[in-house]
Structures are given as structure tokens and as C-alpha cells.
Amino acid sequence: QITNFQTRTPFLYTPAPLSESVFMILLVRNPFDCFDSYFNMTLTNTHNVSLAESQYEVFADVWDRLVRHEIEIWRKFNEYWLASGVPLIAVRYEDLVREPHEVLRRVVTFVERGASGGVADDTALRAHIAAVLARAPSEELGPYKPRVGRVGASLGRFSSDQRAAVVAAAGRTLKAFGYDPKTQGFPEEL
């Protein structure tokens, strides 16, 4: 059985206790780009339209409240799953975008270990992933065309005070995923 929990899903509603056969694929995105994407989605009511830069000034108070509120949700959600005891693999969104073959190989290997206790032949696995990715080019996504951006590009929209608030609220979790701009050089060193 596959259940999808998103950051917007209150993790308090997670079924407890989870079955011993459950394992988790935790897809995490850096909070800077995550919050900016959410802000754009909320104000445009789309997944593919970006706000004009001037709108960040117009809605500065809304943006500030969103950043300070969402970092708590981001931190709590990720810390909940990391501490849950459920076998999991953490997949950074940024790695999935940059190296889909390698990330999918890791995910499928993790799932196969959890499902059968063993690992399939790596050669066959790599061939299967390549075939799946070849069948699903981004042009065939239909009407959905995500916004195009660079990893960490949203960091510039955060004031120094907002960056400090994010690090203060979720420093340990940022570091766990390699997202700390001060100590880990995010996004350049990702």
C-alpha cells in the first residue's frame, strides 16, 4: 500500500502505529526555494506562473509571515519523519532534478530491499530506469509546465533577517540535508 504525505498534510494525522512493513521515501526540497514556490503558487493560483519581482515588495509583509510560519512546518515535518523509526530514504529534490538516473536507482534499490530483503541485478535496474525516463520526457507532461529556476535562486528574496530566522528555527535540519547557507555554502556547495 502506498500513502502520500506532503508537507501540507498535517503529520498529526499519520496513521499510528505504522505497519512494520512500511518504509518511507522522504522527498525534501530546500526551504528557500520551497517557500518561494509556495508563495508564487498561492498568489497566482498556478504552478507555472511566477510573480513579477515588484510583487515581493507589494506583499512584503505576507512574504515575511509566510517565511516565519512555513519554516516551522518544514522543520517539524522533516524532523518527525527522520525520528519516526520508519525505514526511510531521504531524497533531495535538487539531486533528483540534477541526477534522476542515480537518484531513481537509489530509490528503487531501497524499495526492493524493503519489499523483498534483497537487491535486484544493478544492470537490469539501471536499464529499467533509463527506459522509464526515456518514455516520460517533460514535454509530455500535458498542460503542467513547472516554473524554471535554479537551485537556491530564491535565497536572494530572503532578507538577512529572514535568513537568520530560517537558520535559527531549523539549523540542525538544514544541516542534515546540506541546506545551511552559512556553514555548508548552500546553494553553491550542494
Side-chain angles (χ1 to χ4, degrees):
Q1 176 184 3
I2 297 174
T3 304
N4 179 18
F5 298 104
Q6 298 178 13
T7 320
R8 304 303 311 161
T9 304
F11 45 91
L12 299 173
Y13 300 133
T14 303
L18 291 170
S19 162
E20 289 180 16
S21 63
V22 168
F23 46 91
M24 174 78 169
I25 301 168
L26 179 63
L27 180 62
V28 63
R29 186 176 187 190
N30 78 78
F32 304 102
D33 292 336
C34 183
F35 302 164
D36 188 40
S37 179
Y38 183 55
F39 188 66
N40 275 271
M41 184 191 71
T42 302
L43 275 95
T44 66
N45 204 28
T46 70
H47 285 275
N48 59 352
V49 175
S50 295
L51 294 169
E53 285 300 318
S54 62
Q55 297 306 294
Y56 286 85
E57 292 175 29
V58 172
F59 294 104
D61 59 327
V62 175
W63 170 244
D64 188 66
R65 286 193 313 270
L66 180 136
V67 167
R68 294 169 194 281
H69 179 260
E70 291 300 316
I71 191 56
E72 291 298 327
I73 294 171
W74 185 91
R75 179 187 58 78
K76 288 176 184 176
F77 179 86
N78 288 301
E79 286 181 0
Y80 172 85
W81 286 109
L82 290 173
S84 71
V86 173
L88 70 79
I89 181 172
V91 175
R92 294 188 311 187
Y93 168 83
E94 298 82 5
D95 296 334
L96 182 59
V97 169
R98 275 194 283 207
E99 306 226 12
H101 289 81
E102 177 56 28
V103 171
L104 289 176
R105 186 196 62 75
R106 284 182 36 239
V107 168
V108 171
T109 299
F110 172 77
V111 169
E112 286 184 341
R113 279 192 184 129
S116 67
V119 180
D121 175 26
D122 192 57
T123 305
L125 180 60
R126 287 177 186 272
H128 180 68
I129 291 169
V132 167
L133 290 175
R135 281 195 314 260
S138 60
E139 297 84 42
E140 295 180 14
L141 291 174
Y144 177 71
K145 302 281 188 249
R147 283 186 298 279
V148 178
R150 288 182 0 265
V151 171
S154 301
L155 202 54
R157 294 195 176 107
F158 288 71
S159 68
S160 58
D161 188 47
Q162 290 166 336
R163 286 184 193 192
V166 167
V167 171
R172 185 180 68 191
T173 310
L174 290 170
K175 287 178 184 169
F177 294 117
Y179 292 146
D180 189 326
K182 274 190 167 179
T183 65
Q184 294 173 312
F186 173 82
E188 293 81 14
E189 300 296 322
L190 187 60

